[in-house]
Amino acid sequence: TQNKEIKMIKDFKANNKDTGLVVLWIKLKRAGYTRTIQGLYHVMQRLGIYKKTPSKKKKYEPVEWITGTYPGEKVQVDVKYVPKICMSSELQEKGERYYQYTGIDEYTRIRYTWFTNEHSTYMSSEFVKRMVKYFKEQYDIKIKTIQTDNGFEFTNRLSWQAFLKNKKTMFEKTLEELGIEYKIIKPHTPKQNGRVERSHRKDQERFYYKKVFWSLEDLSNRGKTWRIEYNNFPMRPLGWLSPNEFLKKYKSQVESI
């Protein structure tokens, strides 16, 4: 009944005050809610518990570097600074800094994350070895190409020192050893690595928001839980399937050919 639906929405909203519309809708759906996200939006506006006006749909422009046609064809990689405000006062007093390495498969949106206390070409090399193993063992995905920005943790291409420009980093040598193609985006064009950039915004909104971490181990453990949640969370670009469900659908279609 309508009264039951309204009570359900109000209860979920009361228990998820800082939750956005999409996340709230997914949680309601998992509890048996049947309306579309647009339907939920209109009901919440009518009840006066959701005031935000939907943002205008941006005009989509197809761009070559963000296309993907099969799992593993291209993985976008980037590093995110863990927000200082999320670190305990003890860690801040010690001057500790933590970093989140992220790799996201362009086609399925499946992500792998790894947390460290430094970002360097050595750590980038360690990350890529762990990521390749994760994609292969968890999903049977072989990575063909990895794409990054021009950060010195990845490449020396923009070095002001002439002798370093053409010197391969440990990260680049590791990619060669693994037989993975390497693509570098144009300088100052983060949109070319748009999928990993957008996923980092989701981290900010849904993982880091209002959290405090007490150690690198604490961050890593909670980060693993968030990675599982992320890979199982429905997304609009995937037709409201999760990355894991989208991969499963792809594999079943390939097997039926």
Side-chain angles (χ1 to χ4, degrees):
T1 65
Q2 191 176 21
N3 288 340
K4 191 177 177 183
E5 177 195 358
I6 289 170
K7 184 180 184 306
M8 186 184 189
I9 292 170
K10 282 184 173 179
D11 287 348
F12 266 75
K13 185 60 181 169
N15 293 323
N16 298 272
K17 286 188 174 67
D18 298 317
T19 299
L21 182 67
V22 173
V23 179
L24 186 69
W25 178 63
I26 298 298
K27 287 184 175 183
L28 282 162
K29 270 178 73 72
R30 287 174 176 169
Y33 187 74
T34 55
R35 284 187 191 267
T36 63
I37 190 167
Q38 293 86 355
L40 173 63
Y41 172 77
H42 291 307
V43 171
M44 289 177 70
Q45 273 217 318
R46 206 165 59 240
L47 294 171
I49 55 176
Y50 192 79
K51 304 288 186 184
K52 187 180 176 184
T53 306
S55 57
K56 289 182 181 177
K57 201 170 184 180
K58 292 179 183 176
K59 188 179 176 183
Y60 174 72
E61 296 176 8
V63 187
E64 179 272 328
W65 52 74
I66 62 165
T67 57
T69 55
Y70 61 87
E73 183 182 12
K74 192 194 292 176
V75 172
Q76 295 181 10
V77 169
D78 198 12
V79 183
K80 173 182 174 61
Y81 287 82
V82 173
K84 196 174 179 181
I85 198 170
C86 292
M87 299 175 75
S88 69
S89 54
E90 290 89 346
L91 291 174
Q92 290 187 41
E93 284 168 16
K94 289 178 185 174
E96 289 277 359
R97 289 308 309 261
Y98 293 155
Y99 306 90
Q100 174 187 320
Y101 273 87
T102 306
I104 184 167
D105 177 48
E106 281 194 358
Y107 186 69
T108 62
R109 267 55 165 207
I110 287 171
R111 287 205 321 169
Y112 175 71
T113 51
W114 185 54
F115 300 89
T116 71
N117 56 3
E118 69 169 276
H119 65 130
S120 61
T121 185
Y122 170 75
M123 285 300 186
S124 301
S125 172
E126 282 299 303
F127 167 73
V128 80
K129 285 187 277 190
R130 291 165 185 261
M131 181 176 72
V132 166
K133 186 179 178 186
Y134 173 81
F135 272 88
K136 184 64 183 167
E137 290 183 355
Q138 295 292 321
Y139 299 104
D140 197 25
I141 292 176
K142 181 177 168 56
I143 299 172
K144 182 192 174 196
T145 304
I146 281 178
Q147 177 173 286
T148 73
D149 61 20
N150 291 269
F152 290 120
E153 64 269 30
F154 301 123
T155 180
N156 290 322
R157 194 172 78 156
L158 295 186
S159 174
W160 59 273
Q161 295 175 294
F163 76 95
L164 269 180
K165 272 183 180 290
N166 298 315
K167 187 179 179 183
K168 285 193 169 83
T169 61
M170 187 182 291
F171 174 73
E172 289 170 308
K173 288 175 183 174
T174 299
L175 291 182
E176 282 186 358
E177 288 167 11
L178 294 168
I180 295 173
E181 294 174 16
Y182 184 35
K183 187 169 183 180
I184 307 170
I185 66 173
K186 292 176 186 175
H188 316 300
T189 53
K191 283 184 180 178
Q192 292 186 3
N193 242 13
R195 288 198 178 149
V196 71
E197 294 278 346
R198 281 191 294 277
S199 80
H200 280 167
R201 286 202 291 273
K202 288 181 184 175
D203 292 332
Q204 195 66 36
E205 294 163 7
R206 287 162 45 198
F207 176 57
Y208 289 112
Y209 183 63
K210 289 189 175 179
K211 285 190 175 66
V212 174
F213 303 104
W214 302 95
S215 65
L216 184 59
E217 184 183 13
D218 178 35
L219 171 62
S220 298
N221 289 336
R222 288 156 80 180
K224 283 177 188 173
T225 303
W226 164 235
R227 182 176 72 205
I228 292 167
E229 185 182 330
Y230 185 99
N231 287 334
N232 284 289
F233 196 86
M235 300 179 183
R236 186 170 61 180
L238 302 179
W240 294 115
L241 294 176
S242 69
N244 284 343
E245 289 169 334
F246 190 77
L247 176 64
K248 190 176 178 182
K249 181 183 175 184
Y250 169 83
K251 286 184 174 180
S252 67
Q253 287 173 340
V254 170
E255 286 167 4
S256 64
I257 294 172

